[in-house]
Amino acid sequence: MTTSPGKMNEPVVRVQNLAIAYETHSGDVNAVRDVSFEIHRGETLGLVGESGCGKSTVAYGLVNYLGRNGKIVHGEIIFQGESLVGRSPEELRKLRGDQIAMVYQDPMTSLNPVLRVGQQMTEVLTVHRGISVDEARTRCVEMLRRVYMPDPEAVMGRYPHQISGGQQQRVVIAMALLNNPALLVMDEPTTALDVTVEAAVLDLVADLRRDFDTAILFISHNLGVVARVSSRVGVMYAGEMVEQAPVREIFAHPRHPYTQGLMRCVPRLGADKAGSVLYPIRGRVPAPDRLPPGCVFEPRCDYATEHCRQERPALRQISNRHMVSCLRAEHIRASEWQPTEDIIPLMPAADAAEPETILNVDGLRTYYKQSSGSPLDLIGLGKKRYVRAVDGVSFTIPQGKTLGVVGESGCGKSTLIKTLIGLEPMTGGAAQFLGFDLEKKASKRDMGLIRELQMVFQNPDATMNPSYSVGTQIERPLRRFKVVPPNQIHAEVVRLLRAVKLDEHYYDRRPRQLSGGEKQRVGIARAFAGRPDLVLCDEPVSALDVSVQAAVLNLLLEIQREQGTTMIFIAHDLSVVRFFSDYVAVMYLGQIVEIGPAEAIYAPPYHPYTESLLAAVPIPDPSVAQQHIRLEGSVPSPLNPPSGCRFHTRCPRRQLLPDGGAICEREVPPMQDAGDGHQIHCHIPLETLHDLEPVVQIAA
Amino acid sequence: MLVKDYMTRHPILVDTSRRVVEAQRLMAESKVGHLPVVADGKRLLGMVSRAALSLRPEQLEGLSFWDLTDYMARLTVGRVMTPLSDIHTISPSSTLEEAADLMIAGHVTALPVVEEGGVVVGIITQTDLMVELRNLLGAIEPGWRVVLRVPDREGEFRKIMLALATSNWGVMAMGCVRSPRHPGFWDVLVKVRYCEREELVAELKKIAGQEIIDIRETTSYTER
């Protein structure tokens, strides 16, 4: 029996024409305008959109948590039959405790760092409901078990910093559920987590919705995540709801040009740069105080007409349960869309000649010394322990190619490239780059070598000096490396700015005047200023919105093709890595478990770890069948890696071997060559791995 | 078939200070007949129902129109609710029969579902039980609905099952009840599919001592 008797009831929450504004010095800024939706029991409404579209404001508005300068201008929020607008803070506080719960992106903002997990959790029940401490404890342990927390009794006694990020988020979710809320608001709850942990948390959300009949508002910028958990999806743009439909419907037949644009920005798993192109949406989200007079999306829309410039479309029913706010929705065919010239990336043909090897890494090791905490340490006699962050990594990269590196956090991806660039001292092994030895630290390296080896960082904010103008920041490497004569520096900066699709006006701007995508472009311009041969990119697009991400990826590809640059590209998004890279290395606990041409990594035979990663990737297409493989626990400590195969403690495929994989615990797995440079480190014979069912079945 | 599978979770709740007129409006707008009255932490204090809130003429005797308006405006849920001591509650892990029994005994049409500690987790109403009854006897897909009257003795039920099993027909639903007004007999309802009426009748008629008292074809129901 799939129907629950609750379905026909009134929705748990109904939002009608909600408008929220923030008071600023220059008057009210309307962050959310005329948003309407409802959520029933046991239903998840996913809200997607770029940053600045008002998704979070809607969520905070629901519980009137808008801060001092935020206010609900008009509209209604009906929760369980009663309006929440204009309620006293005291009433709302009670409601938030009893019937509405929220889960935020960063679990640490909801946990008290100085209280043990158990203490914080039981408090919810003892203070609020007057339940006895013992009874509350039992219930909390039960709830932790419910959210699949390993060893819940022990976790109750730990402090938040002693458990992993994924576990912290589970504690927050368990706490939110202790009061059995009717409405659960989740604002990017998995954004800060690894794919494998994210997959487990998303499974959990789906289970909870079913078992507790909770109405969930789920906010995410990630289309894949939304596709996995939502029953309905609402797309927000510039403070308005532009489209709303059941999840399958919206992914199969997006009707609003913005929704269609978003979907063209994300690489499908399995797509590569040779066979497909990402199309960013041109322009950017307008500031709430500078909205166009007609349709808010009109300036970025390929289908805009004069009519769109004059009339603001309202959200209207286009078919059963599908609503869209576009005047021309009936006339738009997504399949007939042609990119306009300004967003087609220029892709000079790659050299067909057999390229030379530019980087040769052999048995690279980077260990961090860890004190044992014993008093003997003070006199240097303590037993030395090492965190084996990178432990015997070997690979080569041919010139002009890209090596993608994937793995969960803590697997050593970042340490690997930090060692190559000389920010971390090498403990052992060798790395040869264009005949240079990469043994020395960056400060001791030859200027020529530094110039040839550059890096693009994940967080452009942290790597730009806020008090220098953009021009000055790009000039610096030009001067240091004497790339061009001093009198041509300005012209070269302008050329670089143009190359990253920014114009001259940006020369005098400060970092704070730039958007995230623009900052990353400046970071890229700076990295490429010295015309390096090898660029190391550490999650360069992870912090960016999908449409900006598409633009930045295209930009990197263009520059790479033009300059023949070689790249190492770290990203946690497997679809992006597949799209961007020629070769992919999968790392686990400081070692490469599988390496090979990108297309080979994404189809059997693959390493069981790669298989689990692929099973965890959220795919922005609800019609794709994905196998359900989930890794238990988190990555073991690199201080004391497991014996034999390091993955044996979590490997879901061990039982394929005789004795349940006893050999995995004893012996280091052999390297198996699957041909074409594709290497897998695993005890399971290649033939067996080859016969595994593909993780992702893409519907034809 | 437990209360927790059929109850409505997250029912609309009110507190004692809520005015009766507001509670009435809330019930009308949300199309519900009952509201659990709770304290902090969703702990149950009582119930109000649409029926109980309708005023009886004798309550209004001697009140003028203005007094009445004033009286109504000041009347709170706390004063008119049926207090916890006078209502039946049920636990989420109870059976539906227990819920039905409590409703019959208490002459009520809904029960608040509470966990230990008195926390309200849901509400179960007559309608929920009706849905269950319909699904239990009717299943959802079309088929043959046969009622057999069988003597009250060992082995009769087995005969029916054997007859259906040897013919490979699917049983979608069944129910047994003591025959009303026919002591010594049971009425057995089975809902069968994948067969023709004639073959079904022929097969069941072979069973000695049992009588087909009703057979009809049923169609699918609206889902709920």
Side-chain angles (χ1 to χ4, degrees):
Chain A
M1 210 117 338
T2 53
T3 50
S4 91
K7 282 278 160 63
M8 295 301 281
N9 287 1
E10 290 289 287
V12 170
V13 65
R14 173 187 286 144
V15 171
Q16 280 166 339
N17 300 325
L18 182 68
I20 299 172
Y22 290 104
E23 291 167 7
T24 65
H25 295 303
S26 46
D28 287 1
V29 170
N30 295 307
V32 168
R33 292 177 311 282
D34 290 325
V35 166
S36 302
F37 59 86
E38 49 189 55
I39 315 175
H40 289 257
R41 287 176 178 76
E43 190 182 51
T44 305
L45 174 69
L47 275 190
V48 285
E50 288 166 277
S51 31
C53 282
K55 307 185 295 288
S56 296
T57 304
V58 169
Y60 291 116
L62 274 187
V63 286
N64 210 344
Y65 221 43
L66 291 166
R68 203 168 287 177
N69 64 340
K71 62 179 181 193
I72 290 174
V73 181
H74 63 76
E76 271 294 0
I77 302 164
I78 312 283
F79 173 74
Q80 295 283 49
E82 293 185 81
S83 173
L84 294 188
V85 179
R87 294 272 210 110
S88 72
E90 177 56 23
E91 278 178 298
L92 284 168
R93 188 198 57 77
K94 221 163 94 181
L95 210 56
R96 280 201 292 268
D98 274 351
Q99 302 208 53
I100 303 176
M102 299 193 72
V103 174
Y104 304 103
Q105 174 171 352
D106 181 2
M108 278 314 284
T109 55
S110 322
L111 295 174
N112 187 338
V114 299
L115 289 183
R116 291 178 198 273
V117 169
Q119 213 174 335
Q120 326 196 13
M121 286 189 77
T122 47
E123 213 169 62
V124 175
L125 294 172
T126 52
V127 172
H128 216 69
R129 290 197 176 173
I131 291 174
S132 76
V133 178
D134 283 348
E135 165 72 16
R137 246 194 115 69
T138 343
R139 282 202 191 197
C140 292
V141 171
E142 226 168 82
M143 190 55 84
L144 283 178
R145 199 162 280 137
R146 188 70 199 65
V147 298
Y148 311 119
M149 177 73 79
D151 200 3
E153 276 95 359
V155 167
M156 295 279 285
R158 299 208 183 118
Y159 288 98
H161 72 268
Q162 292 173 311
I163 56 179
S164 73
Q167 290 177 335
Q168 287 171 357
Q169 196 61 293
R170 282 178 213 207
V171 169
V172 173
I173 293 174
M175 265 167 90
L177 290 169
L178 276 176
N179 273 331
N180 187 18
L183 175 66
L184 181 59
V185 179
M186 307 186 99
D187 190 2
E188 305 265 9
T190 60
T191 307
L193 307 176
D194 262 323
V195 268
T196 49
V197 183
E198 173 178 77
V201 171
L202 295 180
D203 288 350
L204 176 65
V205 173
D207 283 1
L208 298 174
R209 168 167 70 98
R210 194 192 57 220
D211 295 354
F212 291 89
D213 250 348
T214 314
I216 301 177
L217 178 65
F218 192 101
I219 295 171
S220 179
H221 68 283
N222 185 328
L223 290 168
V225 168
V226 165
R228 192 177 277 175
V229 295
S230 308
S231 26
R232 271 184 312 127
V233 176
V235 181
M236 285 196 69
Y237 181 76
E240 292 179 11
M241 183 79 83
V242 295
E243 186 163 6
Q244 206 185 112
V247 63
R248 279 177 172 268
E249 167 75 12
I250 207 163
F251 280 92
H253 307 288
R255 303 301 286 268
H256 196 281
Y258 178 61
T259 317
Q260 296 170 0
L262 280 181
M263 294 189 187
R264 281 190 288 263
C265 288
V266 286
R268 303 264 147 158
L269 188 69
D272 62 22
K273 57 189 171 187
S276 64
V277 182
L278 300 181
Y279 298 107
I281 307 172
R282 59 194 156 89
R284 58 202 245 195
V285 185
D289 53 347
R290 256 170 281 143
L291 292 176
C295 168
V296 280
F297 188 61
E298 171 271 313
R300 303 174 75 187
C301 182
D302 294 328
Y303 302 97
T305 62
E306 197 46 44
H307 192 187
C308 303
R309 273 179 271 280
Q310 282 157 8
E311 189 186 323
R312 181 159 293 186
L315 197 65
R316 63 196 166 97
Q317 197 98 19
I318 190 162
S319 66
N320 189 25
R321 306 190 68 201
H322 197 147
M323 292 192 288
V324 63
S325 70
C326 175
L327 296 169
R328 310 196 55 221
E330 284 86 353
H331 308 287
I332 296 171
R333 297 259 178 287
S335 52
E336 288 165 19
W337 178 82
Q338 291 293 328
T340 52
E341 265 179 35
D342 50 335
I343 61 168
I344 302 177
L346 303 165
M347 294 294 173
D351 251 339
E354 188 60 33
E356 303 170 38
T357 296
I358 189 170
L359 178 71
N360 188 351
V361 177
D362 187 26
L364 184 78
R365 295 198 305 279
T366 310
Y367 293 178
Y368 298 107
K369 202 186 289 176
Q370 171 110 353
S371 70
S372 59
S374 123
L376 287 173
D377 267 351
L378 296 174
I379 48 168
L381 292 174
K383 200 168 160 241
K384 291 202 178 56
R385 301 197 300 164
Y386 294 95
V387 174
R388 299 160 185 225
V390 174
D391 202 6
V393 163
S394 308
F395 60 87
T396 57
I397 314 179
Q399 172 146 30
K401 300 289 182 188
T402 305
L403 172 75
V405 183
V406 293
E408 288 164 281
S409 33
C411 71
K413 329 185 272 292
S414 294
T415 310
L416 171 66
I417 66 171
K418 279 187 195 151
T419 310
L420 291 178
I421 206 156
L423 293 174
E424 297 291 349
M426 203 181 282
T427 312
Q432 292 252 319
F433 167 67
L434 288 174
F436 292 102
D437 219 344
L438 292 182
E439 208 179 348
K440 288 191 202 133
K441 283 173 86 170
S443 54
K444 305 229 169 73
R445 282 185 187 175
D446 183 69
M447 191 63 86
L449 175 59
I450 294 177
R451 175 180 161 181
E452 297 298 355
L453 233 166
Q454 287 290 321
M455 187 155 170
V456 178
F457 298 90
Q458 171 171 8
N459 187 346
D461 272 317
T463 46
M464 290 176 81
N465 189 328
S467 53
Y468 283 174
S469 73
V470 164
T472 323
Q473 312 217 22
I474 301 177
E475 259 174 33
R476 205 175 132 77
L478 293 176
R479 279 186 209 287
R480 295 273 292 167
F481 301 143
K482 305 190 177 61
V483 182
V484 288
N487 59 351
Q488 287 173 27
I489 284 181
H490 188 271
E492 177 69 9
V493 172
V494 172
R495 190 192 71 80
L496 283 163
L497 280 174
R498 291 226 171 96
V500 294
K501 310 271 156 76
L502 299 172
D503 57 37
E504 271 177 79
H505 306 301
Y506 283 85
Y507 193 96
D508 293 319
R509 294 218 188 149
R510 307 278 152 142
R512 66 179 155 79
Q513 293 168 301
L514 306 181
S515 72
E518 286 167 344
K519 283 182 210 160
Q520 196 55 292
R521 282 163 204 249
V522 174
I524 290 169
R526 192 175 54 180
F528 280 88
R531 300 191 191 150
D533 277 318
L534 178 64
V535 174
L536 309 175
C537 306
D538 189 357
E539 305 256 12
V541 293
S542 308
L544 306 176
D545 269 319
V546 281
S547 89
V548 185
Q549 172 181 319
V552 169
L553 286 176
N554 282 348
L555 179 67
L556 281 170
L557 281 178
E558 272 178 49
I559 302 180
Q560 178 180 32
R561 298 254 172 102
E562 206 179 320
Q563 303 192 359
T565 320
T566 312
M567 286 198 228
I568 297 184
F569 184 89
I570 293 183
H572 64 273
D573 185 331
L574 273 80
S575 323
V576 169
V577 171
R578 168 78 175 94
F579 173 79
F580 195 75
S581 314
D582 303 288
Y583 303 94
V584 173
V586 183
M587 281 187 77
Y588 186 74
L589 263 184
Q591 298 182 327
I592 290 180
V593 295
E594 180 170 10
I595 187 167
E599 64 278 8
I601 302 284
Y602 289 76
Y606 27 47
H607 191 280
Y609 181 57
T610 315
E611 185 186 24
S612 326
L613 287 181
L614 287 171
V617 197
I619 295 178
D621 183 353
S623 65
V624 168
Q626 206 170 2
Q627 271 195 59
H628 190 92
I629 303 170
R630 296 287 181 262
L631 289 184
E632 299 277 317
S634 46
V635 184
S637 164
L639 253 181
N640 197 0
S643 60
C645 172
R646 293 191 173 179
F647 188 52
H648 83 247
T649 51
R650 298 168 80 200
C651 183
R653 292 284 180 199
R654 262 175 81 182
Q655 71 278 15
L656 290 176
L657 286 169
D659 292 340
I663 187 173
C664 304
E665 290 173 36
R666 289 193 314 268
E667 284 172 41
V668 175
M671 188 272 275
Q672 306 190 70
D673 199 331
D676 206 14
H678 183 194
Q679 304 174 347
I680 302 174
H681 295 260
C682 185
H683 287 294
I684 304 173
L686 272 185
E687 301 78 65
T688 317
L689 290 175
H690 196 275
D691 291 342
L692 293 178
E693 222 174 294
V695 176
V696 181
Q697 301 276 14
I698 294 162
Chain B
M1 281 183 259
L2 298 178
V3 167
K4 65 179 173 197
D5 303 319
Y6 282 85
M7 68 183 185
T8 300
R9 287 170 193 267
H10 313 297
I12 298 177
L13 309 168
V14 289
D15 57 32
T16 49
S17 62
R18 188 52 50 92
R19 286 206 297 277
V20 167
V21 275
E22 287 177 50
Q24 277 172 323
R25 180 191 53 77
L26 195 57
M27 283 192 276
E29 282 178 4
S30 323
K31 304 183 190 83
V32 296
H34 301 82
L35 296 175
V37 185
V38 293
D40 247 10
K42 293 189 272 191
R43 275 173 288 174
L44 187 66
L45 296 175
M47 284 277 274
V48 289
S49 66
R50 255 200 259 195
L53 285 187
S54 53
L55 293 169
R56 290 180 299 281
E58 63 268 25
Q59 283 178 294
L60 304 176
E61 252 174 86
L63 286 176
S64 75
F65 176 76
W66 299 110
D67 291 341
L68 179 64
T69 317
D70 189 48
Y71 174 76
M72 283 302 291
R74 278 186 293 112
L75 200 56
T76 58
V77 165
R79 286 180 49 199
V80 301
M81 70 179 184
T82 318
L84 189 56
S85 51
D86 294 351
I87 53 177
H88 294 286
T89 64
I90 193 153
S91 121
S93 53
S94 307
T95 62
L96 288 182
E97 306 86 277
E98 288 172 301
D101 192 43
L102 278 177
M103 286 191 207
I104 296 164
H107 298 287
V108 288
T109 54
L111 296 172
V113 185
V114 298
E115 276 181 351
E116 20 355 337
V119 174
V120 181
V121 293
I123 189 164
I124 187 153
T125 66
Q126 265 181 358
T127 313
D128 298 325
L129 296 182
M130 292 303 183
V131 170
E132 169 62 0
L133 177 71
R134 184 203 61 186
N135 292 348
L136 189 66
L137 292 186
I140 307 193
E141 286 101 273
W144 295 105
R145 180 191 193 272
V146 194
V147 182
L148 293 158
R149 182 153 294 165
V150 308
D152 184 3
R153 62 178 177 231
E154 295 267 310
E156 290 297 319
F157 190 72
R158 198 175 145 265
K159 290 181 194 164
I160 305 172
M161 288 301 113
L162 210 59
L164 295 174
T166 42
S167 312
N168 271 331
W169 295 327
V171 176
M172 280 187 291
M174 61 170 42
C176 307
V177 65
R178 281 187 192 280
S179 308
R181 292 185 287 279
H182 288 270
F185 286 93
W186 283 75
D187 285 354
V188 177
L189 178 149
V190 277
K191 209 167 164 196
V192 186
R193 59 176 170 180
Y194 308 135
C195 67
E196 297 298 322
R197 181 189 172 110
E198 292 71 33
E199 43 180 359
L200 178 64
V201 171
E203 196 60 39
L204 291 175
K205 278 208 165 145
K206 287 186 202 157
I207 308 173
Q210 298 193 357
E211 182 196 356
I212 300 178
I213 58 168
D214 185 68
I215 177 163
R216 60 186 74 198
E217 189 169 20
T218 54
T219 47
S220 49
Y221 297 97
T222 50
E223 270 195 44
R224 191 199 134 173

